[in-house]
Amino acid sequence: MAAAFDYQQAFSRNIGWLTPDEQTRLRGKRVAIGGMGGVGSVHAVTLARLGVGAFHIADFDTFDLPNFNRQVGATMSSLGQPKVEVVARMIRDINPEADIQVFPQGVNDANLEQFLAGVDYYLDSYDFFAFDVRQKTFARCAELAIPASTAAPLGIGTALLNFLPGQTTFEQYFQWGQLPEDDKAIRFLVGLAPAGLHRPYLVVPAAVNLAERRGPSTIMACQLCAGLAAAEAMKILLGRGKVRAAPHGMQFDAYRGKLVHTWRPGGSSNPLQRLAIVIGKRMYLKALGKS
C-alpha cells in the first residue's frame, strides 16, 4: 500500500540547508512560470522538490519528438499532450497538495493579470522569440513589485539576470521599447550573456537557423538553468543571502568550466554593450540573409 503524503517528511532532506521555518515558508509561496518547455518544465519540477507550494504555469504547446533532447516532460507517453497539463501532473506527483493554476492558452493580454495575481516570484521561461509577452510580463512584474528572473540555456551552461523591485527593470536594461523584433533579439542575447562564454564551441554553426527561429540546445543547459534559478528563487523568497540584480548578471559554462559575473550599467546604452549590439546585429542579419 502506498504511503500517505506528508509534506514535512517529503521535504525533510532539505532541512540543514533550510531551517524548518524556512521550509514552511516555502510551502506558502506562489511562483509563476511562463513556458513549460526546456527550462520551464525543469524549473517547475525543481521548485516543487524544493517545497514551493503553489504554482501558476502557462504554455499553449504540446510535446513533440524534437523536445526529447531537453524537456523533462517530453516522453513517448506524453507525445501530443499539452505541456502545461503534463508538467502539472509531474508537480502533483511530487506534492499532491500543491496549488496549481494552469494557463493552457499561454500568457496573453487577457490573462496576464490573473497569471501574476498573488505571485511572490516570476520565473521567465518563454521561448526566446516571445518578445511581446516577455516584455509585457516583466513590465507588469515591475509595476506590481514582483521579483523576476530569467535564466537562458546557452550551449552547455546558463546565463541569469534578476530584476528586483525598485532596481533596474527589464526595460531599463534591454531598452526594447518599440524596436523591431530583430533588434530585440540582438539586445536580448547580448544582454543575457555579455561574456559570451558559449560561443567558441559551437561546432555546427548551420544548426543556428534564425530565419526558422530554431537553434541547438542541451539538457545540461536546461538543468543548469533550473539549479541556478532555483538557488536565486530560494534566496529571494526567503530574503536570505546576497542576490545580484541587473545590471549585474551571471554566466556559468560547464563545458569550459568558467563562471563570470558581468556588470553592464546602463544596459543596452553601455558603451561595451552598444559595440556588442552592433557586431551582433551584423552577424544576426547575415544569418537571416538580410545583409
Side-chain angles (χ1 to χ4, degrees):
M1 182 179 295
F5 179 79
D6 178 86
Y7 180 92
Q8 282 77 19
Q9 186 174 0
F11 302 108
S12 61
R13 293 300 179 91
N14 290 338
I15 305 305
W17 304 115
L18 297 173
T19 69
D21 176 67
E22 286 173 332
Q23 187 68 72
T24 298
R25 287 165 59 195
L26 286 177
R27 187 179 190 179
K29 297 297 184 180
R30 183 175 299 274
V31 173
I33 307 174
M36 289 290 106
V39 290
S41 54
V42 71
H43 282 332
V45 170
T46 302
L47 290 174
R49 293 196 184 281
L50 186 61
V52 170
F55 295 86
H56 291 182
I57 57 176
D59 203 301
F60 56 80
D61 202 4
T62 58
F63 282 116
D64 197 1
L65 280 172
N67 305 145
F68 274 39
N69 77 309
R70 70 199 181 283
Q71 300 189 17
V72 297
T75 62
M76 289 303 295
S77 62
S78 68
L79 274 175
Q81 295 185 22
K83 293 180 180 181
V84 72
E85 296 292 348
V86 172
V87 176
R89 290 200 301 268
M90 294 173 72
I91 295 173
R92 292 192 180 99
D93 274 348
I94 296 165
N95 179 3
E97 298 174 353
D99 178 357
I100 307 171
Q101 293 188 40
V102 299
F103 293 78
Q105 304 304 316
V107 180
N108 51 54
D109 291 344
N111 66 16
L112 178 58
E113 291 300 315
Q114 182 185 357
F115 179 64
L116 294 176
V119 164
D120 299 295
Y121 176 68
Y122 169 68
L123 189 47
D124 175 38
S125 305
Y126 296 131
D127 180 84
F128 177 85
F129 294 97
F131 303 119
D132 184 63
V133 68
R134 176 175 281 113
Q135 189 170 14
K136 290 176 178 177
T137 302
F138 273 103
R140 192 61 181 135
C141 283
E143 293 168 354
L144 296 172
I146 297 172
S149 302
T150 187
L154 299 170
I156 304 175
T158 179
L160 180 136
L161 289 168
N162 295 313
F163 297 93
L164 303 183
Q167 301 192 45
T168 299
T169 66
F170 182 95
E171 181 58 35
Q172 288 169 342
Y173 183 79
F174 288 106
Q175 299 172 24
W176 276 0
Q178 301 301 315
L179 290 172
E181 289 197 347
D182 287 347
D183 292 276
K184 289 181 179 181
I186 289 300
R187 291 187 176 212
F188 193 42
L189 185 57
V190 171
L192 281 169
L197 297 181
H198 55 291
R199 289 197 295 266
Y201 59 91
L202 178 64
V203 292
V204 184
V208 180
N209 191 320
L210 299 176
E212 296 180 7
R213 294 192 167 189
R214 62 176 173 83
S217 57
T218 68
I219 182 60
M220 298 86 83
C222 294
Q223 290 178 326
L224 288 166
C225 283
L228 186 55
E232 296 296 285
M234 184 188 80
K235 291 189 290 183
I236 291 169
L237 292 171
L238 296 176
R240 187 188 104 182
K242 182 178 181 179
V243 178
R244 291 182 174 90
H248 292 273
M250 185 187 331
Q251 184 178 7
F252 172 67
D253 192 280
Y255 184 83
R256 299 181 66 192
K258 290 187 176 183
L259 171 67
V260 175
H261 290 101
T262 56
W263 182 53
R264 292 294 187 271
S268 292
S269 295
N270 184 282
L272 289 174
Q273 210 77 331
R274 288 171 63 186
L275 177 60
I277 289 169
V278 170
I279 295 171
K281 188 171 184 178
R282 290 174 182 168
M283 296 173 62
Y284 183 80
L285 293 177
K286 183 178 180 180
L288 287 173
K290 295 183 179 181
S291 64

